Structures are given as C-alpha cells and as structure tokens.
Amino acid sequence: MSHRRRSARDRARRELGQNFLINPGAARRMARALTPSQDLVVELGAGRGALTRELVELGRPVTAVELDPRCVERLSAELPQVRLHHGDMREFRFPERPHAVVGNLPFGLTTTMTRNLLTTQNWTEAVLLIQHEVAGKRARGGSQLNAQWSPWFEFRLLGEVPAQHFRPIPACSGGILRITRRQLLPVERRSDYQDFVRAVYQARGRSLAEMIRNVTGHRVHGLPPLPKDLTSQAWVRLYRRIRS
C-alpha cells in the first residue's frame, strides 16, 4: 500500500476517533475482567473486532456497536453470531434487560460516554479502555465527578495499555477502567446529594470546614483539608450528618 493511501486511511480513522486495539492480551484481559454470567454484553466501538472475538469466547450473547461501515461489513462476515448495530455509540439505546458494557472508547468521547453510562439503567458492570490518565483519575477519586457518583459506582483501574498496542498509535497510553454498581445511599437521594457535593466544591473558603460552614451553616470538626481529600464513605457520612 502506498504512503498516500495509508495517510488517507489514517486521516479517516482519526476523524472517526479510531485507535484500533491490536494487542490480543489486552483484549483478553478486558473480556475476562467481566463477572461470569450469561447476560448480554454490549460492546461500544467494535472496530476490527479484537475485543469482540474475546467476548464471543465467553459464550455470552454479544451486541457490538460500530460507526465505521467498513468494520461493520467485515465483522458481519467474520462473526455472524454477533448482533451488530451500525451507528454512533452516543446515540445507542441500551437494552432494558441486564447487561454488561465493554468498549475501547475513542479517547475524545471518554467523558461523554462515561457520563452517559452513569445515567443509564440496567447495565451491571462496565469495562472501558480509555486514556490512562483519565482512568487513573477516576480510580483514585478526589474529583467532583467521583464524589457525586461514588455512592452508586465504584471505579477501579485494572492496568495500562501502551500506546503501541493501538493503530494508529495515539498520543497517550490507555487504561482499563472497571465500573461496578453499589448503593451507599438510596437512589432517591441522588439529586439532593449531588447538589450538596457541587455546592461544597464551588463554595468559598480556605478549608473544607470553612466551605461546609459557608454552604450549610454547620460547623463540622475533624475534616481533612479539602473536598478532594474525602473518601466516598466520608462524603456519605458528611451528607447524612448535614441532612439529618
């Protein structure tokens, strides 16, 4: 293939946000990170099918979402047992029955798709390949987004995938992020809790105690220096104390 043809194809891939995973070991690690089950698996961004093939090996039904018509045509021929959805993952309507979500997400859609998933029902766990820096940040906690969602979701970094394991090679490495559901607070309290966290993060003050006092009028002792220093469980305890 000529350099010109390769360049044109690479440009087209980048326009679609495509960085195909070419390392079988990384794909296998993602598939095996799923809890054993017979529930449906929804794959976001199937690409050339490196991860799709590993999901098929699990013996579970698979629905694969892919925007590139060339990839859809190729996968339809190679993996007829997979149900393929040709379309944009941002517009995909997730099933109403229990399912897992797996995907090598276009790095430019990481935030959008993560937020979409956090507000979507019925999926039980998600294993996502995203920018390593972002995956690490989600797993470490400390951000407003983590604090707002951690009563209902646990984020765990499963490992790094070097940039050389993608084609075209991206500017940064990938990270495998596993998201599972939990319930430290009733779902009915989500809106009020998230408003509380947002208000604290945006409050004036040189310390967390001062920020809490400015927002709620409560004097709370024994707090760490800043909001980012609170653990998920500590946020829940603080919220219950303020709202009791």
Side-chain angles (χ1 to χ4, degrees):
M1 181 182 293
S2 71
H3 173 73
R4 179 176 298 177
R5 289 181 63 189
R6 286 198 302 270
S7 298
R9 183 168 295 180
D10 281 350
R11 283 197 299 272
R13 289 170 183 165
R14 288 191 172 93
E15 287 174 2
L16 292 173
Q18 292 172 304
N19 291 105
F20 297 122
L21 182 63
I22 63 170
N23 181 268
R28 192 171 304 117
R29 187 173 14 156
M30 291 180 66
R32 293 181 179 178
L34 292 173
T35 302
S37 170
Q38 291 302 308
D39 288 343
L40 170 71
V41 180
V42 173
E43 182 188 7
L44 302 176
R48 293 174 174 172
L51 178 54
T52 317
R53 293 180 181 86
E54 295 295 334
L55 295 175
V56 168
E57 290 296 317
L58 297 178
R60 299 171 62 167
V62 178
T63 293
V65 182
E66 176 54 46
L67 181 60
D68 189 333
R70 296 165 299 183
C71 291
V72 172
E73 182 178 1
R74 178 177 176 177
L75 290 177
S76 296
E78 295 180 359
L79 299 171
Q81 66 271 57
V82 173
R83 181 178 180 181
L84 284 156
H85 177 86
H86 178 206
D88 192 322
M89 67 177 70
R90 292 170 294 185
E91 300 171 359
F92 178 70
R93 297 187 64 178
F94 289 88
E96 295 184 1
R97 60 181 169 127
H99 60 279
V101 178
V102 182
N104 170 23
L105 303 185
F107 286 176
L109 297 184
T110 294
T111 300
T112 297
M113 289 309 302
T114 302
R115 290 183 182 275
N116 283 354
L117 282 174
L118 296 180
T119 56
T120 299
Q121 302 299 316
N122 300 319
W123 62 269
T124 55
E125 60 182 332
V127 178
L128 308 176
L129 181 51
I130 60 178
Q131 296 105 310
H132 184 257
E133 180 181 358
V134 176
K137 183 178 180 181
R138 291 283 81 79
R140 287 192 303 272
S143 70
Q144 180 178 320
L145 184 147
N146 275 81
Q148 287 181 306
W149 288 102
S150 60
W152 301 279
F153 297 96
E154 183 175 11
F155 304 87
R156 182 184 174 195
L157 179 64
L158 300 185
E160 184 174 3
V161 179
Q164 290 75 18
H165 291 176
F166 299 88
R167 289 295 183 276
I169 299 176
C172 59
S173 61
I176 302 174
L177 180 70
R178 184 170 186 260
I179 309 174
T180 52
R181 292 185 183 272
R182 63 183 177 187
Q183 190 160 322
L184 303 182
L185 281 174
V187 176
E188 295 76 16
R189 306 297 296 273
R190 190 174 75 185
S191 179
D192 184 61
Y193 170 82
Q194 291 184 337
D195 287 344
F196 168 74
V197 171
R198 183 183 303 109
V200 172
Y201 263 90
Q202 296 177 355
R204 294 181 178 179
R206 291 173 295 181
S207 67
L208 177 56
E210 187 176 340
M211 296 163 80
I212 293 292
R213 186 171 68 250
N214 289 339
V215 169
T216 68
H218 288 253
R219 293 181 179 273
V220 182
H221 301 287
L223 293 172
L226 295 171
K228 67 180 181 64
D229 301 315
L230 279 178
T231 66
S232 303
Q233 291 76 10
W235 269 110
V236 171
R237 289 195 298 270
L238 177 62
Y239 170 77
R240 290 186 183 278
R241 180 175 179 179
I242 296 297
R243 290 293 193 255
S244 62

